[in-house]
Amino acid sequence: MEKKEKLWGGRFSESTDSFVEEFTESVSFDKNLAVYDILGSIAHAKMLGEKGIIPKEDAEKIVKGLNQIKEEILQDRFEWKKELEDVHMNIEKALIEKIGSIGGKLHTGRSRNDQVVTAFKLYIKEETQNLINLLTQLKVSLLNKAQETVDIVMPAYTHLQRAQPIRLAHYFLAYLEMFNRDKERFQDSLKRINQLPLGSGAVAGVDFPIDREFVAKELGFNEVMRNSLDATASRDYIIEFLSNCAICMSNLSRISEDLIIWNSTEFGFVELPDKLTTGSSIMPQKKNPDVLELIRGKTGRVYGDLVAVLTIVKGLPTAYNRDLQEDKEPVFDAVKTLTGSIIGMTKIIQGLKPIKEKMEQSAGGFALATDLANYLVRKGIPFREAHHIVGKIVSYLVEKDRELESITLEELKQFSPKFDTDVLNLLSIYNVADARSSFGGTAKERVLEQIEFWKRRLNLS
Ligand code: ARG
């Protein structure tokens, strides 16, 4: 059988088993990195020319050839070959076919081990920036919704039991804070992504007089990685990226869960726009919050992506091992999933209609009990005692199947002589919410301050 030509075929006397080709290839998915691989190669070739490691004319031919290949790839005219293993060798082989043996000079002073990390870092850098932009849009949608809902009061739940009344805007601002931290995490990670691995060779550095600063500048990296072993072995930048994705998904999943519950007939707190929901093939009455359910479900995938890469690196001997090829698909999956989930959530927030009456009905009643206890505290009764007195009031009303708002001053006085006419103010959910005027609290003035803060931060004022 004729031996198929591999770029690394020199020392081999028989062709690769087709099973092995199929099992070891990565081009079917790492072709996603093609444009970044070419960017890295162009910077490397220019540097080789500048430093006289290869003739300048050769470097120019290489750059021209690479740019043509990039166009072919972008226009989907490029033929990917699995037998060429990965994106790097597909492109290098195409270059040699295009410009002849000069193309073979590109790989001087470089290894796929530093090449692949460079391309992947360029990709993750761009996707990180995309995610930052999408998170900003989500934040804007939450801020807008908060502005619309300052005057809606709803129950906050602890243990999924009605706890205390809050302004609905307070809820949206809580998620604005969470997604802002998610965005900051992505921003902070750029510092580490912006360190150039190229120029580290296979593991120990390069025996040509290369100029890594030049390459870093060409590619927009702020620093050069200081240790070649670290640069080729480490994948913590990937784990950090996936952790950031996983944390962000956890927040998306949690807000999804709230909205799914609120959208149920039993709660009836919100209505989702028709265009963002789906019907049931069998039950005509249903309008399902599938986007939210899928965000919640897909959170599991992204956690899986993170755990996959953590597990891949855990037992690896230090330096490059082929196992590391498995770092790609989890990242592609996480990028696709998180991108879609943020876009979906932004649409949901924009289209969400709160049902004020339902929320306010539920915000009253026993959710006001803490305030009644605090009232007694202000009148000099120790908190534990006040808590006990209000507990008695609650059980008295529960027995009679009555809401807290229905209680009269006379009845209250039977439980404690400290109750006076001003206690009746407490039976308004607005007053109760506005009493929580500590910094970070749900009082209207505090909520409005936070809205102003975010308008300034998001440059919307
Ligand atoms: N496709 C490989 C990967 O993704 C590229 C690096 C291959 N290096 C090697 N020495 N075989 O990890």
Side-chain angles (χ1 to χ4, degrees), residues 8 24-27 29-30 33 85-89 111-117 120 202 235 320-328:
W8 43 249
T24 60
E25 69 86 23
S26 57
V27 67
F29 51 86
D30 66 15
L33 300 179
E85 220 175 282
D86 60 20
V87 61
H88 319 292
M89 296 218 278
S111 152
R112 271 187 296 157
N113 297 353
D114 57 353
Q115 184 182 353
V116 66
V117 192
F120 211 17
R235 294 297 182 274
Y320 180 82
N321 300 266
R322 191 65 179 272
D323 315 44
L324 292 173
Q325 180 167 290
E326 289 292 309
D327 63 3
K328 314 283 175 323

Side-chain angles (χ1 to χ4, degrees), residues 421-440:
T421 39
D422 55 346
V423 74
L424 299 172
N425 284 339
L426 284 184
L427 302 178
S428 142
I429 50 174
Y430 291 94
N431 293 342
V432 167
D434 289 343
R436 301 216 150 68
S437 60
S438 57
F439 183 81

Side-chain angles (χ1 to χ4, degrees), residues 112-160:
R112 271 187 296 157
N113 297 353
D114 57 353
Q115 184 182 353
V116 66
V117 192
T118 305
F120 211 17
K121 276 193 154 180
L122 288 170
Y123 165 85
I124 290 186
K125 184 172 158 179
E126 180 145 336
E127 292 300 342
T128 299
Q129 196 51 59
N130 285 343
L131 289 166
I132 289 171
N133 296 344
L134 288 174
L135 281 168
T136 302
Q137 289 172 29
L138 176 57
K139 283 166 58 187
V140 169
S141 72
L142 286 160
L143 177 60
N144 289 339
K145 215 24 88 169
Q147 282 182 274
E148 288 167 25
T149 55
V150 175
D151 289 318
I152 299 180
V153 172
M154 67 168 296
Y157 293 82
T158 62
H159 312 265
L160 203 53

Side-chain angles (χ1 to χ4, degrees), residues 189-205:
S189 73
L190 284 173
K191 175 167 185 276
R192 284 166 291 282
I193 294 173
N194 266 322
Q195 299 170 335
L196 173 78
L198 202 63
S200 298
V203 60

